[in-house]
Amino acid sequence: MPEHQDQACDVASLREEIAQLKQAVVSHAVVDQAIGVVIARGRLPPESAWSVLREISQQTNTKLREVAEHIVQWPYCGWLPPEIGRALAGALARRRHPGPPGAGR
């Protein structure tokens, strides 16, 4: 492959990597904001709020970033997709009223 084609491939590869990194930064910010909403709503410590987001993502088979986007918009629009709302309510209830030690865990 001629050198100019190698350079073009390198530039394209770097542009793709930059785009992926930008998306990762945005996604991370949205997840952090959603953690804040869950902390405020559920009166939970940050590590528990992170677990709530993961649990919702797994239960609803929804990407964590998408769950975070819905939760961040929730205070403004007053609406969550029903499956995410149910999963959030259940996760918060379990953290407020845990069962006996070792039960179901």
Side-chain angles (χ1 to χ4, degrees):
M1 199 181 268
E3 186 177 333
H4 70 283
Q5 287 180 334
D6 286 342
Q7 289 174 346
C9 287
D10 289 345
V11 169
S13 178
L14 288 172
R15 285 186 176 148
E16 183 178 337
E17 186 176 350
I18 289 168
Q20 290 171 351
L21 289 170
K22 284 180 179 180
Q23 180 60 42
V25 168
V26 169
S27 292
H28 187 73
V30 170
V31 169
D32 284 346
Q33 292 168 9
I35 287 171
V37 172
V38 174
I39 288 169
R41 176 69 179 180
R43 298 181 181 179
L44 300 173
E47 58 277 358
S48 292
W50 167 247
S51 295
V52 165
L53 291 180
R54 279 196 342 243
E55 183 179 323
I56 293 168
S57 174
Q58 291 169 352
Q59 283 185 358
T60 63
N61 197 28
T62 306
K63 291 182 179 181
L64 183 72
R65 175 186 43 81
E66 291 177 31
V67 170
E69 288 171 355
H70 285 297
I71 289 178
V72 167
Q73 290 301 313
W74 176 36
Y76 302 104
C77 67
W79 179 85
L80 280 174
E83 66 279 3
I84 291 176
R86 284 189 298 272
L88 175 61
L92 292 178
R94 282 186 292 281
R95 280 157 180 82
R96 285 189 204 120
H97 305 291
R105 298 190 188 210

